[in-house]
């Protein structure tokens, strides 16, 4: 236990790196420390799961050590145990470990029966993943025949999570042609096996030979590659770690670069080991000469939430109604966001700290109302952030340890002494969420969030953007069940003139509705408020707070499902509307939207990427309209439509993660991020395969020379969830980031088109090659590119390494479309031999009007397959027909000739 706690200081250094993930993992002398494995609160209490986790990691560590040439092992792991499980003396309170930053989540399958292990990956090749997902059935070995042993799967998923590599199999294309041979998509080719299909009828199943598609030369759907047993090939873990002989990652020596798999597509044909070798982990380690120790484990149990608000009331807080806006946001947090049973205290600071309230447990409206009366109402004095933090630690320590507590720190002022308490913050074990208000908040503020894993947000002085309320609305607990967390349905603002109206609707869907709150703020005087539920019933009774210039209404019970209509009327003032709710059921997962940037600091001209994950439980929500608004410190806003199309910044299509690049820098400093999501269709509304970035589902195995088949890989069907068609609205704070290196206007064009990552190719008519891809833009995935360069080669490596020397295709008639449009281009290879059995490789580069070029696209291959001619059939004698003159005027003959011609063309097209 001691070694785990002593790692916090090194852990802090890792957090300062500003990686995509919020993980607490650090690498120390070849050993991974700070790994967090969390058991979801909805998992029924089962103490044996803890031992299964320990066994999995303990057995995985030597497998990882040997697979990485004695470089890495698992040193220590924290296991997060739900609050609703029984307490034990050996369970201690977490420090910085939360469900939000867990590296592995053990959760019930959703829908039931889908126990596939997988890893969320938002970024590009080589970028760390987000989180590994396992189910209790996987952990206890109940699906070992489908995925292999838990410890080997864990190493497969670890490679996704830590090094950003991808799978070397492909469920969507299991076979390909190369050198006139049908090959299974695998790495390495040294893995041998049978090609078999299974046919089931009336409860009995028989093996069948795989059938060949005469149009493509490939095996038809239903065919599987079943590896022989035993094997001698040692690679690769990212193909199928379940094969007994497989103990290594593919290297450049045995990598199957022609296989159409995600690793080749996303990593520029590099082997898994090449990507790992380029990682920061690899660069700062050398192989060990001794065997590593076994992992150690810390058992941490989630406890009651402990929060202390630390609020700036210095003189600058009187500017621009900041203090009133702080009161509005603070009241939302205290009345609605913080969960029942939490302990909440309050400290304010100017030149010194003032305790406004000791820790109070929230049991109902009485405590909430009392805390709101402690919010500051007068602003004066200087800014001493460390005084406020030290006072908050003292408030918490009167009742609890600061381990695992939270501090919400808001300031609008500069403080050049803030670094004087960094060491105290590091040692406290508290998570600090920071809210930077206005353009002059201390530049070092974000360091406090980074070093403790807290949320960092920014709110401008533009009241209509509702940034301060959004920041406090994002502060739901990082622990506890999803049904307990506040969910923001709406956040809008508008400046009205001459008795104008602010009208709109808020969708309350079936997954939310409990504890629903409508909050309205204004800048001068109370507006007229009209609110109707979906049945047309008007709702009055808003509680009006004239001092804080806000009114709110709590909907009793569960709010009615459907559109709630609001109309607000005012003159010459700014209004905002915020609506929050909670899950309608403890068993039906609510639709949630979580948003973030790929990093917390951007240096011009490097683009930022904004992500919004929209899920219901573990299922993605598809075809939602998702919009990000990014606001600079100047108050300028940029609106981006986020897409789930697998192109540009989006890593995978239809995974419920919507993405887009941000390039519209206008100044240095902080940028705030907010996301709106509307509508959407649950992935259960259609048949879709589950998440791809995970261990391969084993179709079957060979036992004593006979194939033993597993059940078919599970699919999600439209009946797996209630209400497969869901209309909803959500808003989400994406935190903030800091931009540096932005030149003064006019800002030069230094942004090339983004890389094309979804190029596909197929052959028509034995000579036409049909290409499809998603159009990039002039600046990454915005605007319109100027032209495309398409090159081909019979050598995949020549095309990658000598692209500019490869044969160029004539694209003079190819005019680029606007970014994110679908491009189609058909060409016939010229000046290159294209005969039966030819393997041809193709890649694209986009060029913008400033002659900036994108990276080379993913490389695709086509193989010309002309099926052998069938032996001529012996004609059947037919009765003699009279001679017919082709120019005859016999009625109907012209139509007959057209039919003959049409049937011939139809036969030809079917053959193609």
């Amino acid at each position: 236990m001691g070694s785990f706690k002593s790692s916090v200081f090194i852990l802090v250094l890792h957090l300062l790196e500003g990686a995509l993930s919020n993980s607490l993992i650090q690498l120390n002398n070849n050993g991974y420390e700070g790994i967090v494995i969390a058991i979801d609160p909805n998992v029924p209490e089962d103490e044996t799961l803890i031992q299964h986790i320990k066994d999995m990691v303990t057995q995985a560590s030597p497998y990882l050590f040997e697979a990485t040439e004695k470089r890495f092992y698992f040193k220590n792991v924290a296991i997060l145990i739900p609050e609703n499980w029984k307490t034990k003396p050996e369970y201690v309170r977490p420090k910085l470990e939360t469900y939000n930053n867990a590296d592995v989540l053990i959760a019930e399958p959703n829908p039931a029966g889908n126990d596939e292990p997988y890893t969320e990956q938002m970024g590009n090749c080589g970028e760390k993943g987000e989180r590994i997902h396992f189910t209790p059935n996987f952990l206890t070995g109940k699906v070992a025949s489908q995925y292999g042993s838990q410890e080997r799967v864990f190493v497969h998923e670890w490679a996704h999570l830590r090094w950003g590599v991808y799978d070397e199999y492909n469920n969507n294309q299991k076979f390909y042609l190369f050198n006139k041979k049908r090959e299974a998509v695998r790495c390495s080719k040294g893995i041998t096996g049978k090609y078999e299909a299974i046919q089931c009828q009336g409860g009995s199943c028989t093996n069948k030979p795989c059938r060949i598609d005469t149009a493509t030369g490939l095996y038809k759907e239903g065919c599987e590659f079943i590896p022989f047993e035993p094997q001698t090939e040692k690679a690769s873990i990212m193909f199928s770690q379940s094969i007994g002989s497989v103990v290594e990652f593919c290297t450049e020596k045995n990598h199957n670069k022609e296989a159409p798999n995600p690793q080749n597509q996303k990593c520029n044909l590099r082997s898994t080991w090449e990507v790992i070798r380029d990682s920061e982990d690899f660069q700062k380690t050398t192989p060990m000469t001794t065997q590593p120790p076994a992992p150690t484990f810390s058992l941490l149990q989630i406890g009651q939430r402990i929060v202390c608000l630390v609020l700036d009331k210095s003189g600058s807080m009187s500017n621009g109604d900041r203090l009133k806006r702080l009161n509005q946001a603070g009241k939302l947090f205290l009345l609605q966001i913080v969960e029942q049973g939490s302990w909440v205290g309050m400290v304010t600071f100017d030149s010194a700290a003032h305790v406004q309230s000791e820790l109070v447990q929230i049991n109902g409206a009485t405590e909430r109302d009392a805390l709101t009366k402690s919010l500051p109402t007068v602003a004066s004095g200087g800014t001493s952030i460390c005084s406020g933090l030290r006072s908050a630690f003292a408030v918490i320590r009167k009742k609890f340890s600061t381990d695992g507590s939270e501090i919400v720190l808001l300031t609008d002022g500069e403080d050049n002494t803030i670094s004087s308490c960094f060491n105290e913050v590091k040692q406290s074990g508290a998570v600090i969420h920071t809210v930077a208000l206005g353009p002059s908040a201390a530049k070092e503020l974000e360091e406090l969030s980074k070093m403790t894993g807290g949320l960092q947000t920014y709110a401008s002085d533009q009241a209509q953007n509702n940034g301060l309320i959004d920041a406090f609305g994002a502060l739901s607990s990082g622990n506890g069940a999803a049904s307990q967390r506040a969910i923001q349905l709406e956040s809008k603002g508008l400046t009205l003139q001459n008795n104008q109206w602010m009208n709109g609707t808020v969708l309350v869907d079936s997954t939310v509705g409990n504890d629903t709150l409508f909050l309205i703020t204004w800048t001068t005087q109370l507006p007229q408020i009209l609110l109707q539920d979906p049945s047309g019933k008007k709702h009055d009774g808003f509680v009006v707070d004239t001092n804080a210039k806000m009114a709110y209404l709590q909907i009793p019970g569960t709010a009615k499902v459907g559109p709630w209509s609001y109309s607000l009327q005012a003159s010459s003032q700014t209004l905002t509307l915020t609506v929050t709710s909670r899950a309608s059921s403890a068993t039906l997962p609510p639709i949630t939207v979580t948003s973030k940037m790929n990093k917390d600091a951007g240096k011009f001209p490097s683009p930022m990427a904004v992500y919004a994950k929209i899920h219901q439980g573990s299922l993605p929500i598809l075809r939602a309209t998702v919009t990000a608004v990014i606001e600079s410190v100047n108050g300028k806003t940029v609106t981006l439509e986020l897409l789930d199309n697998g192109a540009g910044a989006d890593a995978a299509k239809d995974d419920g993660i919507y993405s887009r690049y941000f390039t519209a820098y206008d100044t240095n400093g902080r940028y705030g991020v907010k996301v709106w999501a509307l509508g959407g269709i649950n992935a259960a509304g259609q048949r879709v395969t589950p998440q791809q970035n995970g261990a391969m589902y084993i179709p079957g195995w060979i036992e004593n020379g006979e194939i033993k088949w597993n059940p078919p890989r599970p699919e999600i069907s439209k009946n797996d969830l209630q209400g497969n068609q869901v209309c909803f609205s959500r808003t989400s704070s994406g935190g903030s980031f800091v931009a540096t290196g932005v030149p003064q206007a006019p800002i030069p064009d230094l942004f090339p088109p983004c890389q094309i990552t979804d190029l596909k190719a197929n052959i028509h008519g034995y000579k036409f090659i049909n290409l499809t891809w998603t159009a990039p833009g002039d600046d990454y995935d915005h605007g319109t590119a100027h032209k495309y360069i398409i090159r081909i080669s019979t050598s995949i490596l020549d095309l990658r390494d000598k692209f500019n020397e490869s044969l160029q295709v004539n694209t003079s008639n190819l005019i680029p479309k606007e970014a994110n449009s679908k491009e189609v281009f058909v060409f016939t290879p010229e000046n290159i031999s294209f005969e039966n059995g030819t393997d041809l490789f193709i890649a694209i580069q986009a060029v913008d009007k400033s002659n900036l070029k994108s990276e080379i696209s993913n490389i695709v291959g086509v193989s010309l397959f002309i099926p052998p001619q069938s032996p001529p059939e012996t004609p059947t004698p037919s009765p003699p027909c009279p001679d017919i003159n082709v120019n005859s005027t016999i009625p109907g003959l012209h139509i007959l000739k057209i039919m003959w011609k049409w049937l011939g063309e139809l036969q030809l097209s079917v053959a193609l």
Side-chain angles (χ1 to χ4, degrees):
M1 185 71 71
S3 64
F4 184 78
K5 290 191 174 182
S6 67
S7 68
V8 171
F9 180 74
I10 304 171
L11 168 72
V12 164
L13 297 181
H14 169 74
L15 286 169
L16 291 175
E17 295 169 6
L20 171 66
S21 171
N22 293 323
S23 172
L24 305 182
I25 296 170
Q26 46 142 336
L27 181 61
N28 186 13
N29 294 328
N30 299 84
Y32 286 109
E33 299 179 334
I35 302 165
V36 179
I37 299 179
I39 301 172
D40 188 84
N42 289 325
V43 172
E45 183 165 357
D46 180 1
E47 201 175 317
T48 64
L49 286 178
I50 298 172
Q51 188 59 48
H52 283 297
I53 293 171
K54 291 181 177 181
D55 292 343
M56 176 182 71
V57 178
T58 301
Q59 294 163 23
S61 189
Y63 185 64
L64 175 71
F65 185 67
E66 296 300 328
T68 56
E69 298 181 354
K70 305 184 187 303
R71 280 186 182 268
F72 307 118
Y73 69 99
F74 299 122
K75 192 172 184 180
N76 62 47
V77 174
I79 301 175
L80 270 186
I81 299 165
E83 183 181 1
N84 55 2
W85 285 26
K86 293 174 185 173
T87 59
K88 287 196 163 188
E90 60 266 34
Y91 298 168
V92 299
R93 185 174 173 86
K95 296 186 81 168
L96 307 182
E97 302 86 1
T98 67
Y99 283 98
N100 281 352
N101 60 29
D103 306 292
V104 182
L105 181 65
I106 313 298
E108 289 293 312
N110 178 33
N114 179 22
D115 291 293
E116 180 169 349
Y118 70 94
T119 303
E120 290 180 64
Q121 288 180 268
M122 291 186 182
N124 297 316
C125 179
E127 294 183 5
K128 292 181 177 68
E130 292 291 296
R131 178 178 289 180
I132 296 169
H133 291 256
F134 292 144
T135 68
N137 281 343
F138 166 81
L139 206 60
T140 55
K142 293 179 181 177
V143 290
S145 65
Q146 290 99 314
Y147 298 105
S149 62
Q150 297 93 309
E151 68 273 9
R152 286 180 167 228
V153 171
F154 184 42
V155 172
H156 177 107
E157 301 307 328
W158 184 264
H160 285 307
L161 180 79
R162 189 66 189 178
W163 304 309
V165 300
Y166 285 83
D167 293 318
E168 291 172 338
Y169 65 91
N170 189 343
N171 282 325
N172 297 322
Q173 184 182 342
K174 297 182 178 181
F175 308 102
Y176 68 103
L177 285 177
F178 185 68
N179 279 340
K180 301 181 182 180
K181 288 178 61 179
R182 282 174 285 274
E183 295 280 2
V185 174
R186 67 198 189 282
C187 193
S188 83
K189 284 186 179 179
I191 295 174
T192 56
K194 287 184 177 181
Y195 295 96
E196 291 280 349
I198 185 172
Q199 185 175 17
C200 297
Q201 189 172 7
S204 62
C205 299
T206 56
N207 294 347
K208 294 288 184 181
C210 290
R211 295 183 298 159
I212 297 173
D213 187 329
T214 56
T216 65
L218 296 175
Y219 293 119
K220 288 188 174 183
E221 187 176 352
C223 182
E224 299 287 354
F225 173 73
I226 311 294
F228 289 128
E229 187 64 39
Q231 296 278 339
T232 58
E233 179 58 53
K234 294 184 177 181
S236 168
I237 289 170
M238 300 314 291
F239 168 64
S240 181
Q241 76 295 324
S242 62
I243 297 172
S245 65
V246 169
V247 291
E248 297 176 356
F249 296 103
C250 261
T251 68
E252 57 265 52
K253 293 180 180 178
N254 53 24
H255 177 57
N256 184 2
K257 57 188 177 296
E258 291 87 11
N261 59 37
Q263 174 66 20
N264 279 328
Q265 181 183 23
K266 294 179 179 296
C267 297
N268 196 23
L269 309 181
R270 289 184 298 159
S271 68
T272 299
W273 188 244
E274 287 175 273
V275 176
I276 295 173
R277 204 168 55 202
D278 289 342
S279 70
E280 183 185 0
D281 289 354
F282 196 96
Q283 300 301 320
K284 63 184 183 184
T285 56
T286 56
M288 295 174 63
T289 56
T290 59
Q291 289 296 309
T296 59
F297 299 89
S298 303
L299 304 182
L300 312 178
Q301 187 167 32
I302 301 299
Q304 294 168 314
R305 189 180 189 190
I306 302 164
V307 188
C308 189
L309 300 179
V310 179
L311 307 175
D312 189 345
K313 70 175 192 69
S314 61
S316 56
M317 286 294 292
S318 61
N319 298 335
D321 275 342
R322 288 178 186 168
L323 202 61
K324 277 195 169 49
R325 291 173 58 215
L326 164 60
N327 272 261
Q328 295 164 353
K331 287 189 176 181
L332 172 69
F333 177 78
L334 295 169
L335 293 173
Q336 182 72 1
I337 304 302
V338 70
E339 297 81 6
Q340 287 286 100
S342 302
W343 290 84
V344 180
M346 189 185 304
V347 170
T348 59
F349 65 91
D350 40 45
S351 304
H354 316 274
V355 176
Q356 301 294 114
S357 173
E358 301 289 353
L359 287 180
V360 174
Q361 188 171 28
I362 305 258
N363 295 314
T366 302
E367 293 83 11
R368 293 181 186 272
D369 290 338
L371 281 163
T372 64
K373 292 180 172 59
S374 300
L375 288 164
T377 56
V378 178
S380 64
T383 304
S384 178
I385 291 171
C386 285
S387 296
L389 291 174
R390 291 184 181 115
S391 183
F393 293 150
V395 166
I396 293 168
R397 287 174 180 141
K398 286 182 180 180
K399 282 189 176 291
F400 303 100
S401 163
T402 50
D403 284 355
S405 63
E406 297 172 74
I407 289 175
V408 179
L409 171 61
L410 175 142
T411 184
D412 74 336
E414 297 179 0
D415 180 357
N416 56 16
T417 67
I418 189 172
S419 59
S420 66
C421 57
F422 277 6
N423 284 333
E424 294 167 71
V425 169
K426 293 170 188 175
Q427 299 302 322
S428 72
V431 176
I432 299 183
H433 309 291
T434 57
V435 183
L437 177 58
S440 302
K443 291 181 172 56
E444 303 86 352
L445 189 63
E446 281 81 4
E447 298 299 325
L448 294 166
S449 293
K450 293 175 193 175
M451 68 176 65
T452 64
L455 177 66
Q456 63 180 54
T457 54
Y458 161 71
S460 74
D461 285 326
Q462 306 297 315
Q464 71 272 15
N465 293 336
N466 215 24
L468 199 53
I469 282 178
D470 291 338
F472 277 78
L475 294 171
S476 288
S477 172
N479 296 312
S483 60
Q484 299 170 358
R485 298 176 194 160
I487 296 171
Q488 193 162 290
L489 307 186
E490 185 60 279
S491 169
K492 281 191 175 176
L494 192 64
T495 299
L496 301 179
Q497 305 291 339
N498 303 323
N499 290 318
Q500 287 180 310
W501 288 88
M502 175 176 163
N503 300 314
T505 58
V506 178
L507 290 173
V508 175
D509 58 271
S510 59
T511 73
V512 294
N514 282 345
D515 199 16
T516 303
L517 181 86
F518 285 78
L519 171 68
I520 294 158
T521 73
W522 58 88
T523 52
T524 56
Q525 60 184 12
L526 174 67
Q528 184 177 346
I529 303 172
L530 300 176
L531 178 66
Q532 286 187 338
D533 68 20
S535 68
K537 178 184 174 183
K538 291 183 179 180
H539 286 257
D540 301 316
F542 277 82
V543 177
V544 177
D545 183 339
T546 54
N547 290 327
K549 297 182 179 176
M550 59 184 286
Y552 55 91
L553 175 67
Q554 195 91 37
I555 305 299
T558 302
K560 287 187 177 180
V561 173
W564 287 64
S565 303
Y566 63 87
S567 295
L568 312 176
Q569 188 183 39
S571 291
S572 303
Q573 62 171 322
T574 299
L575 307 183
T576 73
L577 169 77
T578 307
V579 184
T580 64
S581 189
R582 283 184 164 83
S584 59
S585 164
T587 56
L588 178 68
I591 293 172
T592 58
V593 177
T594 54
S595 50
K596 64 186 295 183
M597 302 300 293
N598 65 326
K599 48 192 175 183
D600 48 42
K603 187 173 182 179
F604 183 90
S606 174
M608 299 288 291
V610 56
Y611 302 109
K613 176 184 172 184
I614 309 179
H615 275 57
Q616 184 178 9
S618 61
L619 287 179
I621 299 293
L622 308 182
R623 294 191 287 285
T625 300
V626 186
T627 305
V629 176
I630 300 178
E631 180 184 13
S632 74
V633 72
N634 285 345
K636 177 183 174 183
T637 59
V638 174
T639 301
L640 302 176
E641 181 187 2
L642 307 188
L643 302 171
D644 186 15
N645 61 354
D650 195 56
K653 184 178 181 179
D654 289 345
D655 64 350
I657 298 172
Y658 297 73
S659 319
R660 200 72 181 271
Y661 283 116
F662 170 76
T663 59
Y665 296 97
D666 71 304
T667 186
N668 292 309
R670 293 184 175 97
Y671 289 71
V673 185
K674 178 177 181 174
V675 168
W676 275 288
L678 185 66
I681 297 176
N682 195 295
Q686 55 184 309
R687 295 195 71 80
V688 296
T689 52
Q691 175 66 249
Q692 269 201 320
N693 304 323
M696 182 171 70
Y697 187 89
I698 303 167
W701 67 98
I702 298 174
E703 190 177 288
N704 298 323
E706 182 181 349
I707 296 177
K708 302 292 185 182
W709 293 94
N710 275 319
R713 181 169 176 248
E715 290 184 309
I716 301 167
S717 73
K718 62 183 180 181
N719 297 319
D720 284 326
L721 274 187
Q722 302 176 36
N724 55 37
Q725 201 159 1
V726 181
C727 295
F728 68 94
S729 64
R730 299 285 188 275
T731 62
S732 169
S733 170
S736 64
F737 64 93
V738 177
T740 58
V742 181
Q744 291 185 347
I747 295 175
D749 180 8
L750 298 179
F751 300 110
C754 64
Q755 182 187 28
I756 295 166
T757 58
D758 62 348
L759 178 64
K760 295 181 177 63
N762 53 56
I763 297 177
H764 288 293
Y766 309 135
K767 64 178 181 178
F768 299 108
I769 296 178
N770 183 64
L771 302 179
T772 60
W773 68 94
T774 301
D778 179 82
D779 296 339
Y780 286 88
D781 51 9
H782 303 276
T784 305
H786 177 61
K787 66 178 181 178
Y788 293 117
I789 298 172
I790 301 177
R791 295 186 185 271
I792 59 177
S793 176
T794 55
S795 166
I796 193 169
L797 287 183
D798 281 353
L799 187 62
R800 182 189 71 175
D801 300 333
K802 303 175 183 177
F803 181 79
N804 291 334
E805 300 171 24
S806 299
L807 184 64
Q808 186 168 349
V809 175
N810 183 355
T811 57
S812 57
N813 294 325
L814 177 56
I815 308 300
K817 296 179 182 176
E818 186 178 358
N820 298 301
S821 302
K822 204 67 182 176
E823 297 276 27
V824 178
F825 181 66
V826 180
F827 72 98
T828 301
E830 297 177 351
N831 302 318
I832 195 168
S833 175
F834 195 53
E835 301 170 346
N836 192 16
T838 299
D839 300 311
L840 197 62
F841 301 97
I842 308 154
I844 303 182
Q845 192 174 44
V847 185
D848 72 5
K849 61 181 179 294
S850 298
N851 206 36
L852 298 173
K853 296 179 179 178
S854 72
E855 295 180 52
I856 307 302
S857 72
N858 62 297
I859 297 176
V860 293
V862 293
S863 295
L864 182 58
F865 173 77
I866 301 175
Q869 290 187 345
S870 302
E873 296 182 4
T874 304
T876 303
S878 55
C881 295
D883 291 336
I884 299 177
N885 185 331
V886 294
N887 296 316
S888 170
T889 57
I890 297 174
L893 180 60
H894 182 64
I895 296 174
L896 185 61
K897 284 159 55 180
I898 293 174
M899 289 179 65
W900 283 341
K901 181 180 178 183
W902 178 78
L903 286 169
E905 290 176 346
L906 178 63
Q907 187 177 17
L908 178 61
S909 67
V910 169
L912 299 185

